[in-house]
PDB file of all heavy atoms in Angstrom:
ATOM      1  N   VAL A  99     257.562 179.471 240.512  1.00  0.00           N
ATOM      2  CA  VAL A  99     258.925 179.522 239.906  1.00  0.00           C
ATOM      3  C   VAL A  99     259.830 179.359 241.118  1.00  0.00           C
ATOM      4  O   VAL A  99     259.721 179.759 242.278  1.00  0.00           O
ATOM      5  CB  VAL A  99     259.141 181.014 239.290  1.00  0.00           C
ATOM      6  CG1 VAL A  99     260.525 181.161 238.783  1.00  0.00           C
ATOM      7  CG2 VAL A  99     258.049 181.222 238.157  1.00  0.00           C
ATOM      8  N   ASP A 100     261.085 178.760 240.760  1.00  0.00           N
ATOM      9  CA  ASP A 100     262.066 178.512 241.719  1.00  0.00           C
ATOM     10  C   ASP A 100     262.346 179.733 242.578  1.00  0.00           C
ATOM     11  O   ASP A 100     262.720 180.831 242.038  1.00  0.00           O
ATOM     12  CB  ASP A 100     263.334 177.979 240.983  1.00  0.00           C
ATOM     13  CG  ASP A 100     264.449 177.642 241.984  1.00  0.00           C
ATOM     14  OD1 ASP A 100     264.222 177.295 243.159  1.00  0.00           O
ATOM     15  OD2 ASP A 100     265.600 177.730 241.656  1.00  0.00           O
ATOM     16  N   ASP A 101     262.299 179.601 243.905  1.00  0.00           N
ATOM     17  CA  ASP A 101     262.564 180.787 244.788  1.00  0.00           C
ATOM     18  C   ASP A 101     263.662 180.646 245.808  1.00  0.00           C
ATOM     19  O   ASP A 101     263.701 181.338 246.741  1.00  0.00           O
ATOM     20  CB  ASP A 101     261.255 181.126 245.533  1.00  0.00           C
ATOM     21  CG  ASP A 101     260.804 180.048 246.520  1.00  0.00           C
ATOM     22  OD1 ASP A 101     261.344 178.927 246.501  1.00  0.00           O
ATOM     23  OD2 ASP A 101     259.861 180.259 247.245  1.00  0.00           O
ATOM     24  N   GLU A 102     264.522 179.604 245.645  1.00  0.00           N
ATOM     25  CA  GLU A 102     265.530 179.330 246.499  1.00  0.00           C
ATOM     26  C   GLU A 102     266.429 180.441 246.841  1.00  0.00           C
ATOM     27  O   GLU A 102     266.730 180.882 248.021  1.00  0.00           O
ATOM     28  CB  GLU A 102     266.386 178.084 246.050  1.00  0.00           C
ATOM     29  CG  GLU A 102     267.419 177.618 247.061  1.00  0.00           C
ATOM     30  CD  GLU A 102     268.219 176.353 246.587  1.00  0.00           C
ATOM     31  OE1 GLU A 102     267.771 175.784 245.574  1.00  0.00           O
ATOM     32  OE2 GLU A 102     269.177 176.138 247.270  1.00  0.00           O
ATOM     33  N   VAL A 103     267.029 181.112 245.770  1.00  0.00           N
ATOM     34  CA  VAL A 103     267.799 182.243 245.906  1.00  0.00           C
ATOM     35  C   VAL A 103     267.153 183.429 246.540  1.00  0.00           C
ATOM     36  O   VAL A 103     267.604 184.151 247.387  1.00  0.00           O
ATOM     37  CB  VAL A 103     268.507 182.655 244.537  1.00  0.00           C
ATOM     38  CG1 VAL A 103     269.302 183.944 244.646  1.00  0.00           C
ATOM     39  CG2 VAL A 103     269.374 181.462 243.996  1.00  0.00           C
ATOM     40  N   ARG A 104     265.792 183.647 246.113  1.00  0.00           N
ATOM     41  CA  ARG A 104     265.073 184.759 246.550  1.00  0.00           C
ATOM     42  C   ARG A 104     264.720 184.620 248.045  1.00  0.00           C
ATOM     43  O   ARG A 104     264.664 185.513 248.783  1.00  0.00           O
ATOM     44  CB  ARG A 104     263.861 184.953 245.667  1.00  0.00           C
ATOM     45  CG  ARG A 104     264.197 185.449 244.304  1.00  0.00           C
ATOM     46  CD  ARG A 104     262.889 185.547 243.399  1.00  0.00           C
ATOM     47  NE  ARG A 104     263.288 185.910 242.110  1.00  0.00           N
ATOM     48  CZ  ARG A 104     263.642 185.201 241.111  1.00  0.00           C
ATOM     49  NH1 ARG A 104     263.690 183.809 241.364  1.00  0.00           N
ATOM     50  NH2 ARG A 104     263.872 185.529 239.930  1.00  0.00           N
ATOM     51  N   SER A 105     264.514 183.379 248.410  1.00  0.00           N
ATOM     52  CA  SER A 105     264.203 183.059 249.818  1.00  0.00           C
ATOM     53  C   SER A 105     265.393 183.380 250.713  1.00  0.00           C
ATOM     54  O   SER A 105     265.272 183.916 251.768  1.00  0.00           O
ATOM     55  CB  SER A 105     263.706 181.709 250.096  1.00  0.00           C
ATOM     56  OG  SER A 105     262.466 181.434 249.418  1.00  0.00           O
ATOM     57  N   THR A 106     266.539 183.008 250.164  1.00  0.00           N
ATOM     58  CA  THR A 106     267.809 183.388 251.019  1.00  0.00           C
ATOM     59  C   THR A 106     267.978 184.833 251.066  1.00  0.00           C
ATOM     60  O   THR A 106     268.413 185.307 252.144  1.00  0.00           O
ATOM     61  CB  THR A 106     269.017 182.687 250.238  1.00  0.00           C
ATOM     62  OG1 THR A 106     268.804 181.176 250.105  1.00  0.00           O
ATOM     63  CG2 THR A 106     270.353 182.882 250.974  1.00  0.00           C
ATOM     64  N   ASN A 107     267.729 185.479 249.968  1.00  0.00           N
ATOM     65  CA  ASN A 107     267.865 186.974 249.940  1.00  0.00           C
ATOM     66  C   ASN A 107     266.930 187.576 250.980  1.00  0.00           C
ATOM     67  O   ASN A 107     267.189 188.589 251.628  1.00  0.00           O
ATOM     68  CB  ASN A 107     267.618 187.554 248.553  1.00  0.00           C
ATOM     69  CG  ASN A 107     268.751 187.320 247.629  1.00  0.00           C
ATOM     70  OD1 ASN A 107     269.885 186.872 248.027  1.00  0.00           O
ATOM     71  ND2 ASN A 107     268.485 187.407 246.285  1.00  0.00           N
ATOM     72  N   LEU A 108     265.581 186.997 251.094  1.00  0.00           N
ATOM     73  CA  LEU A 108     264.608 187.574 252.036  1.00  0.00           C
ATOM     74  C   LEU A 108     265.149 187.291 253.461  1.00  0.00           C
ATOM     75  O   LEU A 108     265.052 188.235 254.307  1.00  0.00           O
ATOM     76  CB  LEU A 108     263.339 186.787 251.810  1.00  0.00           C
ATOM     77  CG  LEU A 108     262.189 187.087 252.711  1.00  0.00           C
ATOM     78  CD1 LEU A 108     261.891 188.598 252.751  1.00  0.00           C
ATOM     79  CD2 LEU A 108     261.025 186.325 252.466  1.00  0.00           C
ATOM     80  N   ALA A 109     265.759 186.140 253.773  1.00  0.00           N
ATOM     81  CA  ALA A 109     266.245 185.998 255.022  1.00  0.00           C
ATOM     82  C   ALA A 109     267.418 186.812 255.392  1.00  0.00           C
ATOM     83  O   ALA A 109     267.445 187.361 256.628  1.00  0.00           O
ATOM     84  CB  ALA A 109     266.668 184.329 255.169  1.00  0.00           C
ATOM     85  N   THR A 110     268.281 187.123 254.485  1.00  0.00           N
ATOM     86  CA  THR A 110     269.330 188.061 254.732  1.00  0.00           C
ATOM     87  C   THR A 110     268.758 189.517 254.914  1.00  0.00           C
ATOM     88  O   THR A 110     269.247 190.169 255.886  1.00  0.00           O
ATOM     89  CB  THR A 110     270.326 188.137 253.453  1.00  0.00           C
ATOM     90  OG1 THR A 110     270.780 186.742 253.249  1.00  0.00           O
ATOM     91  CG2 THR A 110     271.417 189.070 253.745  1.00  0.00           C
ATOM     92  N   ALA A 111     267.766 189.884 254.156  1.00  0.00           N
ATOM     93  CA  ALA A 111     267.199 191.272 254.317  1.00  0.00           C
ATOM     94  C   ALA A 111     266.401 191.310 255.604  1.00  0.00           C
ATOM     95  O   ALA A 111     266.497 192.338 256.281  1.00  0.00           O
ATOM     96  CB  ALA A 111     266.180 191.477 253.141  1.00  0.00           C
ATOM     97  N   GLN A 112     265.810 190.184 256.003  1.00  0.00           N
ATOM     98  CA  GLN A 112     265.149 190.206 257.293  1.00  0.00           C
ATOM     99  C   GLN A 112     266.190 190.375 258.522  1.00  0.00           C
ATOM    100  O   GLN A 112     265.927 191.202 259.418  1.00  0.00           O
ATOM    101  CB  GLN A 112     264.369 188.831 257.553  1.00  0.00           C
ATOM    102  CG  GLN A 112     263.556 188.809 258.838  1.00  0.00           C
ATOM    103  CD  GLN A 112     262.294 189.617 258.818  1.00  0.00           C
ATOM    104  OE1 GLN A 112     261.626 189.780 257.784  1.00  0.00           O
ATOM    105  NE2 GLN A 112     262.113 190.310 259.918  1.00  0.00           N
ATOM    106  N   ALA A 113     267.296 189.656 258.418  1.00  0.00           N
ATOM    107  CA  ALA A 113     268.280 189.755 259.449  1.00  0.00           C
ATOM    108  C   ALA A 113     268.959 191.264 259.464  1.00  0.00           C
ATOM    109  O   ALA A 113     269.139 191.790 260.549  1.00  0.00           O
ATOM    110  CB  ALA A 113     269.516 188.746 259.188  1.00  0.00           C
ATOM    111  N   ASN A 114     269.210 191.764 258.294  1.00  0.00           N
ATOM    112  CA  ASN A 114     269.757 193.116 258.163  1.00  0.00           C
ATOM    113  C   ASN A 114     268.799 194.116 258.770  1.00  0.00           C
ATOM    114  O   ASN A 114     269.143 195.109 259.440  1.00  0.00           O
ATOM    115  CB  ASN A 114     270.103 193.532 256.744  1.00  0.00           C
ATOM    116  CG  ASN A 114     271.283 192.716 256.161  1.00  0.00           C
ATOM    117  OD1 ASN A 114     272.085 192.214 256.937  1.00  0.00           O
ATOM    118  ND2 ASN A 114     271.394 192.673 254.955  1.00  0.00           N
ATOM    119  N   TYR A 115     267.409 193.937 258.524  1.00  0.00           N
ATOM    120  CA  TYR A 115     266.475 194.840 259.103  1.00  0.00           C
ATOM    121  C   TYR A 115     266.443 194.784 260.619  1.00  0.00           C
ATOM    122  O   TYR A 115     266.390 195.832 261.259  1.00  0.00           O
ATOM    123  CB  TYR A 115     265.058 194.439 258.466  1.00  0.00           C
ATOM    124  CG  TYR A 115     263.942 195.099 259.073  1.00  0.00           C
ATOM    125  CD1 TYR A 115     263.665 196.429 258.795  1.00  0.00           C
ATOM    126  CD2 TYR A 115     263.119 194.489 260.106  1.00  0.00           C
ATOM    127  CE1 TYR A 115     262.456 197.110 259.306  1.00  0.00           C
ATOM    128  CE2 TYR A 115     262.152 195.067 260.654  1.00  0.00           C
ATOM    129  CZ  TYR A 115     261.765 196.431 260.277  1.00  0.00           C
ATOM    130  OH  TYR A 115     260.696 197.157 260.979  1.00  0.00           O
ATOM    131  N   GLU A 116     266.415 193.507 261.204  1.00  0.00           N
ATOM    132  CA  GLU A 116     266.450 193.374 262.620  1.00  0.00           C
ATOM    133  C   GLU A 116     267.605 194.126 263.240  1.00  0.00           C
ATOM    134  O   GLU A 116     267.630 194.729 264.269  1.00  0.00           O
ATOM    135  CB  GLU A 116     266.386 191.855 262.976  1.00  0.00           C
ATOM    136  CG  GLU A 116     265.139 191.213 262.604  1.00  0.00           C
ATOM    137  CD  GLU A 116     263.877 191.702 263.265  1.00  0.00           C
ATOM    138  OE1 GLU A 116     263.973 192.256 264.420  1.00  0.00           O
ATOM    139  OE2 GLU A 116     262.772 191.599 262.595  1.00  0.00           O
ATOM    140  N   LYS A 117     268.812 193.835 262.651  1.00  0.00           N
ATOM    141  CA  LYS A 117     270.106 194.452 263.181  1.00  0.00           C
ATOM    142  C   LYS A 117     269.977 196.037 263.052  1.00  0.00           C
ATOM    143  O   LYS A 117     270.374 196.702 264.049  1.00  0.00           O
ATOM    144  CB  LYS A 117     271.284 193.940 262.426  1.00  0.00           C
ATOM    145  CG  LYS A 117     272.676 194.528 262.877  1.00  0.00           C
ATOM    146  CD  LYS A 117     273.744 194.118 261.929  1.00  0.00           C
ATOM    147  CE  LYS A 117     275.102 194.655 262.404  1.00  0.00           C
ATOM    148  NZ  LYS A 117     275.073 196.121 262.687  1.00  0.00           N
ATOM    149  N   ALA A 118     269.549 196.529 261.882  1.00  0.00           N
ATOM    150  CA  ALA A 118     269.478 197.962 261.695  1.00  0.00           C
ATOM    151  C   ALA A 118     268.482 198.518 262.739  1.00  0.00           C
ATOM    152  O   ALA A 118     268.639 199.661 263.329  1.00  0.00           O
ATOM    153  CB  ALA A 118     269.036 198.288 260.363  1.00  0.00           C
ATOM    154  N   LYS A 119     267.365 197.897 263.108  1.00  0.00           N
ATOM    155  CA  LYS A 119     266.331 198.367 264.015  1.00  0.00           C
ATOM    156  C   LYS A 119     267.013 198.356 265.397  1.00  0.00           C
ATOM    157  O   LYS A 119     266.817 199.372 266.093  1.00  0.00           O
ATOM    158  CB  LYS A 119     265.184 197.361 263.975  1.00  0.00           C
ATOM    159  CG  LYS A 119     264.023 197.806 264.778  1.00  0.00           C
ATOM    160  CD  LYS A 119     262.820 196.829 264.712  1.00  0.00           C
ATOM    161  CE  LYS A 119     261.779 197.235 265.551  1.00  0.00           C
ATOM    162  NZ  LYS A 119     260.572 196.311 265.469  1.00  0.00           N
TER     163      LYS A 119
END
Side-chain angles (χ1 to χ4, degrees):
V99 178
D100 181 29
D101 66 349
E102 185 177 350
V103 174
R104 290 176 185 87
S105 293
T106 303
N107 290 342
L108 176 60
T110 302
Q112 182 72 42
N114 289 341
Y115 171 78
E116 296 296 330
K117 180 185 180 309
K119 184 177 177 184

